[in-house]
Amino acid sequence: SILAVTFTNKAAREMRARVIDMAGERAAEVWMHTFHAFSLRLLRRHIAELPYGYRPNFSVIDEDDAKKIIQDIVKELGLDIKKYSTRALRNLISLYKSMRLENFERTDEEKIYQAYQNHLRENQLVDFDDLLIYLLELLENHTDVRTYYQKYFSHILVDEFQDTDAVQYRIMKILGLPHRNVFVVGDPDQSIYGFRGAHYKNNQHFLDDFGAETIVLEHNYRSTNLILGA
């Protein structure tokens, strides 16, 4: 009944190993994942409920796959391949999915995005952004799914909270507000994923939405004295 999320597979594996070491093999099925792995686990169960024709055995593409698809689409649309950076388009599409940028509408970039998304759905593919967005859509629009997991997870823990983006925060808020047993750990000075949409304003949202208590850890046991002095 505890959901724990962090931001790298390595950290999730380490945390899982420690819990199993402390609690025994009964902890092997603990829900301790990255946000994306958690989303994947739920979508394998429920994605067919979304109106996009997905089956539970959909495939997840990586960044290289996504860039190759975008490159092919630019060619198919007859656009100047030299004008569009595949990397820049991939980043723009990712930001659009998570933030719905208004200046993105009615442009050639949006045509590329629409063709890209249609290609994914027609071929039973999802990218990393879709994992989060589709889970959020499930929780927002399907009362039975939302209610089930709100009751299933009685406690939620979020590691590296400073790196959460708007979609991840909304997922956590939906699951955690009914019981408010939510514990987050974050350090605004370590927020490095702004280019992916992360923003430490989620810290203030959390304090406001959950009426949370703040505990400040004043001692640094990781850095050398030279670093601490600086």
Side-chain angles (χ1 to χ4, degrees), residues 16 20 27 33 36 38 45 61 63 76 87 98 104 110 118 128 133 152-153 168 179 198 213 227:
R16 180 187 300 275
I20 293 173
H33 300 289
H36 291 89
F38 168 63
R45 299 180 176 184
I61 62 171
E63 289 301 293
E76 289 171 10
R87 180 190 294 272
S98 61
F104 190 58
E110 189 188 20
N118 288 339
F128 292 148
I133 291 165
Y152 189 94
F153 299 118
Q168 291 163 339
H179 51 68
E213 176 188 359
I227 293 171

Side-chain angles (χ1 to χ4, degrees), residues 57-120:
N57 63 342
F58 64 89
S59 298
V60 182
I61 62 171
D62 62 19
E63 289 301 293
D64 289 338
D65 295 328
K67 290 173 185 174
K68 178 63 169 60
I69 293 169
I70 290 169
Q71 193 175 51
D72 291 343
I73 286 170
V74 171
K75 294 177 182 177
E76 289 171 10
L77 292 175
L79 299 171
D80 185 356
I81 195 71
K82 296 179 182 177
K83 181 180 176 182
Y84 294 100
S85 160
T86 304
R87 180 190 294 272
L89 281 170
R90 174 69 190 110
N91 291 338
L92 186 63
I93 287 172
S94 182
L95 279 176
Y96 176 71
K97 285 187 177 187
S98 61
M99 300 175 69
R100 288 295 183 263
L101 306 176
E102 291 182 9
N103 60 354
F104 190 58
E105 309 286 350
R106 296 175 297 281
T107 63
D108 283 339
E109 286 90 346
E110 189 188 20
K111 293 176 185 175
I112 295 168
Y113 162 74
Q114 294 292 354
Y116 169 76
Q117 203 64 7
N118 288 339
H119 176 89
L120 295 189

Side-chain angles (χ1 to χ4, degrees), residues 12-228:
R13 286 193 299 269
E14 174 69 17
M15 291 164 68
R16 180 187 300 275
R18 293 187 187 189
V19 169
I20 293 173
D21 186 53
M22 288 187 291
E25 286 303 316
R26 63 192 178 132
E29 294 304 313
V30 66
W31 289 74
M32 191 168 288
H33 300 289
T34 63
F35 267 104
H36 291 89
F38 168 63
S39 299
L40 176 60
R41 188 168 172 180
L42 263 62
L43 288 174
R44 289 289 186 210
R45 299 180 176 184
H46 302 289
I47 197 167
E49 298 181 44
L50 293 174
Y52 307 123
Y54 278 110
R55 299 184 296 273
N57 63 342
F58 64 89
S59 298
V60 182
I61 62 171
D62 62 19
E63 289 301 293
D64 289 338
D65 295 328
K67 290 173 185 174
K68 178 63 169 60
I69 293 169
I70 290 169
Q71 193 175 51
D72 291 343
I73 286 170
V74 171
K75 294 177 182 177
E76 289 171 10
L77 292 175
L79 299 171
D80 185 356
I81 195 71
K82 296 179 182 177
K83 181 180 176 182
Y84 294 100
S85 160
T86 304
R87 180 190 294 272
L89 281 170
R90 174 69 190 110
N91 291 338
L92 186 63
I93 287 172
S94 182
L95 279 176
Y96 176 71
K97 285 187 177 187
S98 61
M99 300 175 69
R100 288 295 183 263
L101 306 176
E102 291 182 9
N103 60 354
F104 190 58
E105 309 286 350
R106 296 175 297 281
T107 63
D108 283 339
E109 286 90 346
E110 189 188 20
K111 293 176 185 175
I112 295 168
Y113 162 74
Q114 294 292 354
Y116 169 76
Q117 203 64 7
N118 288 339
H119 176 89
L120 295 189
R121 290 172 179 172
E122 289 168 4
N123 292 278
Q124 294 290 313
L125 304 173
V126 302
D127 62 20
F128 292 148
D129 299 308
D130 291 332
L131 289 173
L132 300 174
I133 291 165
Y134 287 156
L135 175 58
L136 178 61
E137 188 173 334
L138 265 172
L139 294 174
E140 287 183 334
N141 299 334
H142 294 266
T143 305
D144 54 339
V145 176
R146 178 175 66 250
T147 303
Y148 177 82
Y149 288 104
Q150 284 174 336
K151 293 178 179 177
Y152 189 94
F153 299 118
S154 61
H155 293 76
I156 298 173
L157 302 100
V158 183
D159 186 32
E160 306 290 2
F161 184 65
Q162 75 276 357
D163 294 329
T164 53
D165 61 23
V167 174
Q168 291 163 339
Y169 180 74
R170 285 162 66 188
I171 290 170
M172 186 202 76
K173 180 179 175 181
I174 288 171
L175 293 174
L177 263 184
H179 51 68
R180 296 176 183 267
N181 295 324
V182 181
F183 184 95
V184 307
V185 181
D187 179 358
D189 294 329
Q190 295 188 52
S191 184
I192 61 173
Y193 287 109
F195 66 95
R196 291 185 185 170
H199 200 301
Y200 204 70
K201 64 185 177 183
N202 283 345
N203 179 57
Q204 191 58 49
H205 291 328
F206 179 65
L207 294 173
D208 294 340
D209 292 337
F210 287 84
E213 176 188 359
T214 301
I215 301 171
V216 180
L217 305 181
E218 299 285 3
H219 295 280
N220 180 329
Y221 296 98
R222 175 182 292 175
S223 302
T224 63
N225 285 329
L226 184 65
I227 293 171
L228 293 175

